[in-house]
Amino acid sequence: MNLDQHLQNLTRQKIPSDLERILDMPRQGPQDGQEAADYWNTALGLGGASLRPEQALALSVIEKRLGGFFMYGVGFGKTLIALLAGTAAGACSPVVLVPPALVKQMEQEAVKWSEFFKFRTPAVVSYGLLSTRRGLLEDLKPDLIIADEAHNLKDKKSVKTRRFLRYFNQNPRCGFVALSGTMTSKSLLDYAHLLELALRERAPIPFNRYELERWAACVDPDGEPNQSDLNRLSYLVQWAHPSKLTPTNKETIRSAYRTRLTTTPGVLATVRSSCDASLIMQHHRPGHTQAIKDALKNLREKWEKPDGEPIADASQASATFKSLCTGFYYRWDWGENGPDLEWLEAKRHLNRLIGKVLRYSPREGRDSPALVIDWSRNGGGTQELREAVRLWDEIGKRPGPKNVAVWLCQEKLKYVLQYAYNSSDPVLLWYSSNALGSSLARLGVDVRGAGSLPPSGGLAACSIAVHGAGRNLQMYRKCLVIEPPASGSIWEQLLGRTHRSGQQADAVEWDFMDYAGSVAKAKTHAEYVEQTTGTRQKLNYATILTTGQ
């Protein structure tokens, strides 16, 4: 053994074993998407339609690995990948998970695409049903699960994600495909468990929880790495930039991590936009009336709502600030008899005890609030919990308060309508709160909320929660977001409703009304996503104008 080899071996001995595994994994080079498309169009095609290169590459990964991790942006055909994945993998009982609002759409897409491709129709299950129906996956017995909009599973503490992970623990041979253009918004921990399920031992992340959290400290925007963390990941930086001396800091670690992630076999990411149209955003900030100014001052100085109700925490203060900027606030309406303090205390006490069970000892049969209550009624849990459930069974029958919106002024609504009626193009309005949607409906706007189909043209208002993902609304080129989200992942989905493949306009406009810096915060999320995953984010390449009124 020569001196160079000896020194290299000594250096390698200092690298943690999990990191050494990650550095030793092969790099995936550029792939011929057209060759893959020719293969799959011949194997599955019935004529009349063709797969895109990105779709075909995903199917090739699934065929080889019985899984895959695909960070595909809006407009790259994730729906068709989800439908064909089971056939590509040779699965007998594939299941596709989708958001509740997209179940019917996915079933309709399956019928449509069956005319052009041969595939085994998968069972379509909503994430919501996964939360409410115990033993659902165990009854279906899938051998391949495809999670469309997989970011819905990012919270490992949620009921749906715990049941999802439990199924894989009990059925380790089941394959998994993750599909999303927004796998993360602000942390590696958002998707680490999904990446590990999709690639198993080939996942380019530590399997040790402590090590994973130290990686997140180095990569995440809010992470605070110590010098030991930086020293550990200097090996990853050297691996990514072997020919030059590169300093180790959060920026170079993010770049190195992106290289390791996107060159890992089984991982695919889109690095271009699916739409050639320009994306223009303009900030509108109409002034407040005196009533709103006074309410905001009172909120800031006294932490009170306009009716004198105290604000409980910073989260409630932020929500109240945003609603007041639109012109309203929420309050509880107890009716003529006033607040029922016994009802309030019983509910708060029970919720606190249920939260402790879900946080510290969730198990099958007690992994949702309703199941914890049933478990307690059957003798489970502590004496304190059983007593709280018994008390709530009595007191909870009383009528509780209604959460009602109180409008201080409607000047912002007038501004929105004037904006829409003065536009030469049909405008699609976007809202978050039911109070705003109801008020727009009373003013004659076609409002599409829960349980409604998406609009097909003309002035309309859509709920961000219901129609902000998975819908093709390319017939619109002009939108106004009245209550903008502060999440980069929500914005990426939202902008993709009109800025997508098939858009005929040269430019797509997305205006927004923002008083809380929500778009600026979302943009920092988008920058993080692009720096760590390589997936292009629309907020990063949009032209954002700040000169609106």
Side-chain angles (χ1 to χ4, degrees), residues 134-255:
R134 179 183 172 188
L136 175 62
L137 292 177
E138 287 75 10
D139 292 341
L140 292 173
K141 297 181 175 61
D143 53 356
L144 178 71
I145 296 178
I146 306 101
D148 192 12
E149 311 295 358
H151 53 272
N152 283 276
L153 294 167
K154 70 179 181 180
D155 183 3
K156 292 182 69 174
K157 295 180 180 179
S158 70
V159 174
K160 62 189 172 191
T161 306
R162 286 202 301 264
R163 290 177 175 175
F164 166 82
L165 294 174
R166 184 185 301 135
Y167 181 80
F168 278 95
N169 287 335
Q170 297 170 351
N171 300 273
R173 296 178 66 85
C174 180
F176 176 58
V177 174
L179 284 162
S180 178
T182 51
M183 287 289 186
T184 181
S185 58
K186 57 184 179 181
S187 177
L188 168 61
L189 302 179
D190 287 343
Y191 62 89
H193 53 295
L194 304 178
L195 182 59
E196 183 178 341
L197 271 185
L199 302 186
R200 309 298 166 98
E201 71 279 358
R202 299 182 179 89
I205 52 173
F207 297 144
N208 177 277
R209 179 68 184 185
Y210 174 78
E211 286 295 321
L212 181 63
E213 289 175 351
R214 300 325 305 159
W215 276 46
C218 294
V219 171
D220 294 352
D222 298 329
E224 298 181 357
N226 55 41
Q227 190 58 49
S228 176
D229 299 330
L230 297 176
N231 292 342
R232 182 184 295 108
L233 285 178
S234 65
Y235 296 110
L236 183 64
V237 175
Q238 293 170 18
W239 171 88
H241 308 284
S243 61
K244 57 182 179 180
L245 186 62
T246 304
T248 301
N249 52 46
K250 290 195 72 167
E251 182 179 352
T252 57
I253 289 174
R254 279 187 184 181
S255 175

Side-chain angles (χ1 to χ4, degrees), residues 37 105 112 127 148 158 164 209 226 261 275 300 306 322 366 405 433 462 470 488 508:
Q105 179 175 309
K112 181 185 80 172
Y127 291 108
D148 192 12
S158 70
F164 166 82
R209 179 68 184 185
N226 55 41
L261 176 65
C275 181
R300 184 173 58 253
K322 291 180 181 179
R366 60 173 194 258
S433 59
C462 281
V508 173

